[in-house]
Amino acid sequence: MNRRLPGAALALAFAFSAFAAGEPGGMKKRRPLPHEYGRVVIDNGSTAAKLPPVVFEHWAHRGKFTCRLCHVDIGFGMSPGSTRIKAADNMAGYYCGACHDRKRKFDGGTVFEACQKMPAGFPPRDTCYRCHSYGKDVKPMDDFASVTRNLPRGRFGNGVDWEKAEQDGLIKPVDFLEGISIKRQSFTAQKDFALSPKVESMPEIVFSHAKHTVWNGCELCHPEIFVGVKKGTTKYTMVDIFEGKYCGVCHVNVAFPMTDCQRCHVKAVR
Amino acid sequence: MTGPGRWRAIAVAAAMAGALPAAAPAAPRMAAPAARADEGWRAEFEDICAKTQDAMALSAEELRSLVERSDALLPILERLPEPERKVFTKRLQACRNLYAFVLETKEKR
């Protein structure tokens, strides 16, 4: 084995620990449990409306829909709070209301309605708490254990290898929503390519366009996240990624996390 | 603006002149998704954004035309009521930026 490898691994571990433990006051950040990974808490107007904030679970949606469908066609932003969703938007058939409208059928059932107009002064209905569940003991409609029971195991994140689940046909994420999506022709994915790490003797990264385009299409990543037009033009480091930039936009909180080094650094050390 | 992009922009602007009168205080702000389909801008938006998956296969001329058409449509979408404005300007920007990105890639080759 190359003698520089332990040093490189140590440098990477240090970089990771610096960001994983990056809570104010030096408190170590708790790693989320599998069912908590990818959770987004949304409080644009909930507290002001005397409702608990919304808890959105990525795991409950990502086995059913591609990232592209929600983040491109429906228009959800890529960072928490950036979309500024309002109840009125949902009621008008946008954002959560694009699917959750009590009309759309999915998996043999009708999708529940996201928000309903309530007369002033009326208390929230029980159905409001399906989503406005932060801090409340709400029984979820989808149980994490039963949803993920038959899916291939992953080491980190949700503890599920979502990519393999898709490859094996165990999940079939929908990429078209009638009335929202645009009919497109099938496309040919761009070629995979290798990236050389800046730390000598780290295994090379093999980036798979084919795997990424299944979930993301093209415009989710280009040019907003990766602006470089030529391989190597967009300069970034592991520190940037741990800060949630570039690959870290997805691979810190939702897609398999950065702790799973070998998922990207796959090429044998020369 | 030149070429087919200009004529499409004129056609869309003409359609929108009828769809969005200057004084429209009673315009529905919470239109149901089904009601959106008939609006003139929607067909142009869908035609522009239907090609994102083929962006790498398009010629520089086609990409340039798509960027021009996006730039012509954007001010029309900016006049839509919320939340349509927010959703569709974001979607159009994503398409436009992808085409511009691919065009730049091709021109630098």
Side-chain angles (χ1 to χ4, degrees):
Chain A
M1 185 188 284
N2 192 314
R3 281 183 297 171
R4 288 188 180 124
L5 189 58
L10 194 65
L12 191 65
F14 177 76
F16 172 70
S17 62
F19 286 92
E23 283 286 281
M27 292 291 285
K28 191 174 179 185
K29 191 176 177 182
R30 184 176 72 86
R31 185 188 288 180
L33 295 169
H35 70 279
E36 296 169 339
Y37 187 73
R39 178 176 291 173
V40 181
V41 177
I42 306 160
D43 189 8
N44 294 327
S46 305
T47 303
K50 297 188 171 66
L51 277 166
V54 170
V55 177
F56 173 84
E57 301 287 9
H58 265 100
W59 60 259
H61 293 81
R62 65 169 300 176
K64 298 172 184 169
F65 310 101
T66 62
C67 312
R68 200 201 65 78
L69 183 71
C70 301
H71 289 284
V72 174
D73 289 356
I74 297 178
F76 285 110
M78 293 294 282
S79 55
S82 63
T83 314
R84 311 298 304 164
I85 310 162
K86 295 175 187 160
D89 299 345
N90 294 331
M91 286 186 265
Y94 293 94
Y95 302 121
C96 312
C99 294
H100 288 277
D101 60 356
R102 211 167 50 171
K103 293 175 197 150
R104 207 173 280 278
K105 308 276 185 206
F106 193 79
D107 266 352
T110 306
V111 184
F112 69 88
E113 195 172 15
C115 294
Q116 290 170 297
K117 197 159 181 61
M118 304 281 286
F122 267 63
R125 297 177 185 173
D126 287 347
T127 49
C128 301
Y129 297 116
R130 283 177 176 171
C131 303
H132 290 272
S133 61
Y134 187 74
K136 291 189 76 75
D137 186 20
V138 178
K139 189 176 185 300
M141 291 185 73
D142 291 318
D143 167 51
F144 178 78
S146 56
V147 167
T148 58
R149 185 172 297 133
N150 297 321
L151 299 179
R153 297 291 94 193
R155 293 186 301 174
F156 300 99
N158 294 128
V160 174
D161 188 337
W162 295 101
E163 180 196 325
K164 189 169 187 326
E166 190 277 325
Q167 275 177 345
D168 294 350
L170 297 169
I171 56 169
K172 294 182 175 63
V174 171
D175 194 42
F176 184 87
L177 201 59
E178 194 67 51
I180 302 285
S181 302
I182 301 166
K183 286 195 172 67
R184 300 157 199 252
Q185 295 169 8
S186 60
F187 73 114
T188 311
Q190 297 300 300
K191 287 177 184 162
D192 296 353
F193 57 85
L195 294 165
S196 299
K198 291 184 179 68
V199 178
E200 203 179 336
S201 301
M202 278 297 288
E204 281 198 346
I205 303 133
V206 174
F207 174 83
S208 173
H209 255 118
K211 288 175 187 171
H212 281 81
T213 46
V214 165
W215 296 91
N216 303 324
C218 308
E219 66 269 49
L220 189 56
C221 305
H222 297 295
E224 199 173 330
I225 300 172
F226 291 98
V227 74
V229 292
K230 197 177 162 195
K231 186 185 133 185
T233 312
T234 309
K235 303 282 185 198
Y236 54 95
T237 63
M238 288 301 294
V239 172
D240 293 325
I241 298 173
F242 275 114
E243 283 178 344
K245 299 170 190 163
Y246 306 106
C247 316
V249 171
C250 301
H251 286 282
V252 167
N253 295 315
V254 179
F256 68 78
M258 308 302 297
T259 35
D260 212 348
C261 312
Q262 289 145 308
R263 293 285 295 272
C264 301
H265 290 270
V266 292
K267 214 167 178 182
V269 179
R270 288 165 294 178
Chain B
M1 190 189 304
T2 55
R6 181 177 58 172
W7 295 110
R8 281 184 183 274
I10 291 167
V12 169
M16 289 304 296
L20 279 180
R29 287 191 159 254
M30 285 174 36
R36 297 196 298 250
D38 296 334
E39 293 162 3
W41 56 265
R42 179 86 188 213
E44 174 68 349
F45 165 77
E46 292 194 357
D47 197 51
I48 293 170
C49 287
K51 299 173 181 73
T52 52
Q53 311 228 122
D54 313 307
M56 286 300 284
L58 298 174
S59 68
E61 187 58 34
E62 287 170 311
L63 290 163
R64 206 167 288 119
S65 167
L66 287 163
V67 171
E68 286 173 359
R69 285 169 61 190
S70 303
D71 290 342
L73 184 59
L74 192 62
I76 294 165
L77 299 190
E78 288 285 4
R79 294 202 296 269
L80 293 172
E82 296 290 5
E84 278 176 306
R85 186 202 63 80
K86 190 165 64 164
V87 171
F88 284 99
T89 52
K90 183 177 188 291
R91 290 180 69 178
L92 183 69
Q93 283 283 7
C95 303
R96 188 247 181 238
N97 293 348
L98 177 72
Y99 296 135
F101 168 80
V102 176
L103 179 63
E104 195 185 339
T105 307
K106 284 179 181 275
E107 286 177 342
K108 282 195 175 175
R109 262 182 194 164

